[in-house]
Amino acid sequence: MFKKLLKLAQKDLYVQAVSVFAILLSITVVAVAYIKTANNEKKIDNTNTSYNYQTLPPQNNTFSTNSAVVLPMDTTLPENVTGGWQNNPVTQAQQQPQQNNSVYSWSTEQIVSKMTTAINQTKGYKNNLAVHHSESFVANITECTGGAIGQRVANSLVSAVVKPTDQTLNFSNGTAVTAEGETTQILLPKNSQFTLSPAGVKTAKAYQEGDKTVLVVTLIQENVDKDTIPYHNSRGVGYLDPNSVDLMGMTITSGEIQYLGSSIMVKINQAGYVTYAKYTIPLHVYGEGAKGSLSGYAVFDGAQTEIWELPL
């Protein structure tokens, strides 16, 4: 079971990064159940098992690692994504340079609008393009069934599975097929247009860096159960779907996911295309899982970094 699960997790990291945390829960449940079974030399009776961790307490974004979690969504790009992006504001009221004459006092609405245009224009790039893409993960089980022993075993298994990826993807007409057979679009969200609303943005800033305009937004915190799509994260970077992967008979019975403040940073050239993008998302996750008569729970702190570099 462990070998099969590890093989699945290692493969799925590269196929669909969003499944990592669901796999970690699966590993945890199997690991602690195995420990209990080995210790008791009999099947575990979970008839009266209950968990008091019904709702996650509010969490602060304490991760130092930038991250992003993504999930393909069944939407399409708008028909007109080739329009130009104006690098200069129309009126002086729209651009109020700060002391260094490089920071713009654009409103959140203006920044989100410019980011939307640039990302979707880049997604619609029609020529061939070799794009450098990298992802890295941080995942730590802070609490789980089995106590300290279960936590050590689970984190040991996690460290064997969670590996960074670094690859060059050859895009044509805005899409590429990865080595694992996944079709993906340039930038995030994968396989969908960028439709983030200003209502989902906590902070936003814009500044000039050489000949590039840099836009940075941080999303508001969203708390959802395992079956609910976070409204703003799904439209800006993607979302974690624990039900999207085959867990070899494991069922995730309950869970809560806290999106602690995803962020997006893009650098835009004078033609309006994104040449560099960094997506970040820190998560705090609680989940319960079961397989047959075995069950368990786990609390995760997780984070992912996703970077795109485009020669545009």
Side-chain angles (χ1 to χ4, degrees), residues 95-304:
Q95 177 180 335
Q96 296 294 336
Q98 302 289 332
Q99 292 181 355
N100 61 6
N101 208 34
S102 63
V103 178
Y104 304 122
S105 60
W106 294 333
S107 67
T108 297
E109 289 75 13
Q110 288 174 308
I111 292 173
V112 171
S113 176
K114 293 175 186 295
M115 182 175 285
T116 300
T117 300
I119 289 177
N120 287 337
Q121 176 173 312
T122 306
K123 280 177 171 286
Y125 188 80
K126 298 301 182 183
N127 297 326
N128 295 331
L129 189 65
V131 175
H132 181 235
H133 174 247
S134 62
E135 293 177 279
S136 61
F137 300 86
V138 171
N140 182 44
I141 298 171
T142 60
E143 183 182 344
C144 69
T145 307
I149 295 177
Q151 186 177 337
R152 285 197 298 271
V153 171
N155 278 316
S156 178
L157 291 172
V158 166
S159 65
V161 187
V162 181
K163 304 294 184 182
T165 65
D166 193 296
Q167 58 188 329
T168 297
L169 300 176
N170 295 309
F171 284 83
S172 179
N173 291 324
T175 64
V177 178
T178 68
E180 292 72 32
E182 179 195 26
T183 299
T184 185
Q185 287 182 357
I186 301 173
L187 304 178
L188 300 184
K190 289 183 178 178
N191 302 332
S192 70
Q193 65 184 22
F194 182 88
T195 57
L196 180 65
S197 164
V201 176
K202 181 179 180 180
T203 63
K205 63 181 179 180
Y207 58 92
Q208 199 70 22
E209 184 178 275
D211 62 348
K212 305 294 193 302
T213 300
V214 182
L215 306 178
V216 183
V217 298
T218 300
L219 278 59
I220 62 174
Q221 179 169 328
E222 293 185 275
N223 300 345
V224 297
D225 62 41
K226 71 179 184 67
D227 298 315
T228 302
I229 297 174
Y231 184 86
H232 300 293
N233 276 268
S234 66
R235 286 156 174 76
V237 292
Y239 63 99
L240 171 63
D241 183 3
N243 303 313
S244 66
V245 63
D246 180 8
L247 296 177
M248 301 171 58
M250 186 73 58
T251 301
I252 298 178
T253 57
S254 178
E256 184 178 341
I257 305 168
Q258 292 184 352
Y259 296 81
L260 300 178
S262 305
S263 65
I264 307 164
M265 187 269 279
V266 295
K267 297 181 180 180
I268 304 168
N269 65 16
Q270 294 180 347
Y273 289 103
V274 175
T275 62
Y276 177 93
K278 186 173 185 179
Y279 298 87
T280 73
I281 185 170
L283 295 172
H284 187 68
V285 182
Y286 169 71
E288 297 177 16
K291 181 177 175 64
S293 63
L294 305 178
S295 66
Y297 78 100
V299 180
F300 306 118
D301 286 323
Q304 181 192 355

Side-chain angles (χ1 to χ4, degrees), residues 25-47:
L25 177 58
S26 177
I27 291 173
T28 302
V29 173
V30 174
V32 300
Y34 176 82
I35 291 169
K36 281 191 170 184
T37 302
N39 288 342
N40 298 334
E41 295 183 350
K42 61 181 180 179
K43 289 186 178 181
I44 303 171
D45 181 3
N46 290 297
T47 304

